[in-house]
């Protein structure tokens, strides 16, 4: 990345600047555009027979034919209530994660899906089918918290803390439970976000040094 591109990225990451608000606005519009796609997928699933897409594209632990769910399961949901419950948190955490840069967002999402999805495939209940964007949502939350720490970006940390306060009642879903909830996916998604924040952390821009050599 050139110095100019690094400086622009630094400006977009700096709270209160015009570049910051512009980047945040673009990210919000993008995430709002993702939600109708998820609703369309759910409508198709219900139209062809509720649950058929979930079985075809969900994660089925320990089964090779359920491994493709690592890529597809975040786009599938077990009914409208499940989707409604994920839509708003996904917009919130996704917006701030995306505002940190498109390329970093794409790679971070891939790492989160991989860690969460493969983890569930290895340790999940083999008699279950796991679907939903919850693992990605927890991943973005972990991404924002860790990004705030490793990049000393306190607004990232503050946003994650604020969202955590809004949805504190959901945080217990990373703990083992007898409920039909993939707590493994949530916990591993959170871990995937931590890993992604470290792997794709943004280095601080250092001004170019001036050549002070004197010529005689």
């Amino acid at each position: 990345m050139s110095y100019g591109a690094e400086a622009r990225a630094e400006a977009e990451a700096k709270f209160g600047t015009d570049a910051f608000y512009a980047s945040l606005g673009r990210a919000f519009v993008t995430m709002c555009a993702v939600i109708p796609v998820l609703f369309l997928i759910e409508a198709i699933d219900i139209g062809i027979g509720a649950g058929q897409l979930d079985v075809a594209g969900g994660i089925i632990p320990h089964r090779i034919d359920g491994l493709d769910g690592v890529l597809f399961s975040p786009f599938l949901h077990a009914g409208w209530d499940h989707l409604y419950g994920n839509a708003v948190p996904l917009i919130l955490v996704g917006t701030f994660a995306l505002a940190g840069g498109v390329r970093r967002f794409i790679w971070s999402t891939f790492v989160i899906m991989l860690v969460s999805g493969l983890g569930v495939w290895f340790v999940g209940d083999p008699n279950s089918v796991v679907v939903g964007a919850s693992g990605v949502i927890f991943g973005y939350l972990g991404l924002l918290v860790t990004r705030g720490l490793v990049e000393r970006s306190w607004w990232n940390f503050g946003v994650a803390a604020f969202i955590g306060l809004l949805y504190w009642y959901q945080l217990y879903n990373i703990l083992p439970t007898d409920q039909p909830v993939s707590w493994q996916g949530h916990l591993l998604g959170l871990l995937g976000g931590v890993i992604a924040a470290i792997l794709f952390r943004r280095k601080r821009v250092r001004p170019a040094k001036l050549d002070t050599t004197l010529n005689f």
Side-chain angles (χ1 to χ4, degrees), residues 53-93:
L53 282 184
D54 295 342
V55 175
I59 299 173
I60 305 176
H62 307 170
R63 284 177 51 178
I64 297 299
D65 59 347
L67 193 55
D68 57 353
V70 171
L71 296 178
F72 299 126
S73 64
F75 302 98
L76 302 169
H77 289 82
W80 295 116
D81 289 343
H82 188 199
L83 180 52
Y84 285 135
N86 281 341
V88 174
L90 182 60
I91 291 175
L92 286 176
V93 290

Side-chain angles (χ1 to χ4, degrees), residues 91-111:
I91 291 175
L92 286 176
V93 290
T95 292
F96 288 99
L98 177 55
V102 175
R103 184 178 299 178
R104 289 206 303 168
F105 176 79
I106 293 173
W107 280 109
S108 295
T109 302
F110 178 74
V111 169

